[in-house]
Amino acid sequence: MKKSKTLFFCQNCGQQSPKWLGRCPACGEWNRFVEEEIRDTDTARPSDVRFDGVPQSIETITADEGERLRTGIAELDRVLGGGIVAGSAILVGGDPGIGKSTLLLQVLEKLAGRGLPVLYVSGEESARQIKLRGKRLGASAKDLLILVEVELENILKRIQEIKPAAVVIDSIQTVYTPVLSSAPGSVGQVRETSARLILLAKQTGIPVFLVGHVTKDGSIAGPKVLEHMVDTVLYFEGDSGHAYRIIRGIKNRFGPTHEIGVFEMRDTGLAEVANPSAFFLAERPEGAAGSVVVPSMEGTRPILIEVQSLVGSTSFGMPRRTAIGVDHNRVSLLTAVMDKICGIHLGGSDIFLNVAGGVKVDETAIDLGIVSAMASSFLNRPIANGTVVFGEVGLTGEIRGISQTEVRIKEASRMGFTRCILPRTRNRENKQRLNIELIPIGSLAELTENLF
Ligand code: TYD
Ligand code: MG
């Protein structure tokens, strides 16, 4: 008998090493290496992996996308690119308690309600607990099957027997195969079990949702190791202290990425928020200094968000800089530009920046919003009523054009805004005759005269 070999795996990214390391050289996380047993290569490949390895001309390959399976939850369908593609593997990640199980049970209930048999595999909750949750959600369809199981081989067998229209594995970190000796939730187990499930999805055309917890503690493998294996990666954003939940598509082989779906957690489950702009602006203070509205593109959809800033003189020698929802480095860069171009010296001030509603914005169109919010707070002057701003700010203080200007203007107008400060890139007339005044500016120096 061969001696079993062990290697150390980073539980966050899957990096392997022959000895224990304190810090993962690949992902930089500390204290994530765990020893796992590895098999010799003969048995490493599951026996049911079989591809017909014959090269074919791309011209002759037939590939029609087929009918996408609509979940009936419009916000989710959009993030998925129009529905579930047959045979796709979808990873749904997020903090514990954020609503992953709730959403997926709702999805399955919708499908089962249309007479499609679906399977919900849970390794975390008992059938009774799922039933209790289902009661709150109104889930009672007879085609919604619940399987409480953690052993991979049995799960695969049941899927093949039932041939459901969709499967949810809640969560992948509880699924376990005795082929590997490592503990459930370790990188080896998560990799192997999801690979087998994804393979089954590809062979049978049954779409599989894999739920993955994101945890900071080192005991279970993070979904990061799965991201490259699945077709679609959806992450829940928003904190469990608030009612809103945002689902963001991080990767999608069959649709657009960075699309978001907005939900609200109610006592009857997750409800769609059809008008997110109104939702994010609901608590905006009127006429307060330091608050500004920016039309931001989230995927293909414009959403109005509020950027808030508080600038005050520092009480310590070192000014504090805190940015939530926007890139920290971007804020430092913009303060430097403001200092040089607008003569607004923030060097000795504490700066706090926040995007209201917990949204994360990573497009540069928000630059002008950040500058406006900081200027407004610093000068203690509220921004003129009904104003939105957007545009990228360059290092010399020039305002650069950004994509999808028209859509943003239209959304601002729809939400009742009457002034829009935007980049002066091309000659832009108010083509659609919207009820909004366009104020193009070419440099940051022109900002303050138009802002208040
Ligand atoms: P859950 O879906 O169990 O989270 P996850 O699977 O991501 O760990 O969500 C649990 C939270 O959602 C819990 O804090 C209670 C709340 N909740 C509601 O507010 N309303 C509901 O109808 C349900 C089912 C859950
Ligand atoms: Mg859960």
Side-chain angles (χ1 to χ4, degrees), residues 10-286:
C10 169
Q11 301 295 304
N12 185 51
C13 69
Q15 171 81 8
Q16 60 187 52
S17 154
K19 59 180 192 342
W20 188 84
L21 297 174
R23 182 169 187 266
C24 175
C27 69
E29 289 281 317
W30 286 91
N31 220 0
R32 301 302 294 262
F33 275 88
V34 168
E35 187 172 18
E36 288 180 22
E37 200 168 326
I38 53 162
R39 294 161 299 156
D40 51 31
T41 43
D42 293 347
T43 54
R45 190 174 297 151
S47 54
D48 50 350
V49 185
R50 212 162 282 133
F51 289 101
D52 46 349
V54 183
Q56 355 173 9
S57 159
I58 193 163
E59 199 194 345
T60 59
I61 300 173
T62 53
D64 70 84
E65 198 179 65
E67 271 294 286
R68 282 182 188 243
L69 185 59
R70 292 197 170 268
T71 63
I73 300 174
E75 288 289 298
L76 182 65
D77 281 338
R78 214 198 30 261
V79 178
L80 289 172
I84 309 168
V85 173
S88 63
I90 301 155
L91 173 67
V92 180
D95 296 336
I98 199 152
K100 301 181 293 296
S101 307
T102 306
L103 178 74
L104 292 173
L105 199 59
Q106 283 179 278
V107 168
L108 291 192
E109 162 66 18
K110 287 260 184 194
L111 296 175
R114 307 207 306 253
L116 299 166
V118 288
L119 181 64
Y120 183 92
V121 182
S122 178
E124 301 196 331
E125 291 161 303
S126 68
R128 238 188 103 244
Q129 285 172 319
I130 299 166
K131 173 73 189 173
L132 286 176
R133 183 202 298 270
K135 265 194 187 154
R136 294 172 74 177
L137 310 175
S140 57
K142 82 170 195 332
D143 289 314
L144 170 52
L145 303 176
I146 308 289
L147 172 65
V148 177
E149 177 61 87
V150 292
E151 205 187 301
L152 177 73
E153 281 68 22
N154 191 25
I155 296 173
L156 294 175
K157 196 176 94 199
R158 298 294 175 203
I159 295 174
Q160 278 160 332
E161 272 169 24
I162 301 167
K163 298 210 173 8
V167 179
V168 169
I169 308 289
D170 190 3
S171 66
I172 189 64
Q173 281 124 345
T174 58
V175 182
Y176 167 80
T177 173
V179 176
L180 295 185
S181 59
S182 46
S186 62
V187 167
Q189 287 281 0
V190 167
R191 268 209 195 134
E192 173 71 15
T193 52
S194 43
R196 301 272 299 275
L197 284 161
I198 293 166
L199 193 68
L200 184 71
K202 302 281 170 235
Q203 286 170 339
T204 57
I206 300 170
V208 176
F209 287 91
L210 303 174
V211 174
H213 291 297
V214 182
T215 48
K216 280 267 170 272
D217 94 307
S219 57
I220 46 178
K224 279 266 175 287
V225 294
L226 291 180
E227 277 180 5
H228 67 278
M229 296 168 68
V230 297
D231 301 306
T232 304
V233 178
L234 308 180
Y235 272 114
F236 264 96
E237 289 175 11
D239 61 305
S240 34
H242 283 88
Y244 63 83
R245 301 283 185 272
I246 298 166
I247 292 191
R248 191 184 290 273
I250 301 293
K251 161 182 173 180
N252 196 348
R253 287 189 183 145
F254 313 113
T257 44
H258 293 286
E259 198 72 65
I260 67 168
V262 186
F263 293 89
E264 187 185 353
M265 184 62 98
R266 303 224 179 114
D267 54 4
T268 51
L270 287 161
E272 295 176 56
V273 174
N275 187 352
S277 292
F279 190 70
F280 288 127
L281 297 184
E283 288 171 340
R284 193 168 72 97
E286 280 293 325

Side-chain angles (χ1 to χ4, degrees), residues 324-394:
I324 303 169
V326 288
D327 181 10
H328 198 274
N329 294 325
R330 205 77 210 155
V331 177
S332 305
L333 185 150
L334 292 171
T335 30
V337 178
M338 282 170 78
D339 189 280
K340 186 103 180 180
I341 311 290
C342 309
I344 296 181
H345 307 295
L346 300 174
S349 309
D350 284 342
I351 300 174
F352 302 95
L353 256 167
N354 184 29
V355 179
V359 204
K360 292 191 188 76
V361 185
D362 60 2
E363 60 162 5
T364 49
I366 200 169
D367 283 1
L368 208 52
I370 297 174
V371 172
S372 305
M374 290 196 293
S376 160
S377 178
F378 180 77
L379 302 170
N380 206 11
R381 291 175 71 186
I383 288 167
N385 261 340
T387 305
V388 295
V389 304
F390 64 85
E392 180 181 337
V393 177

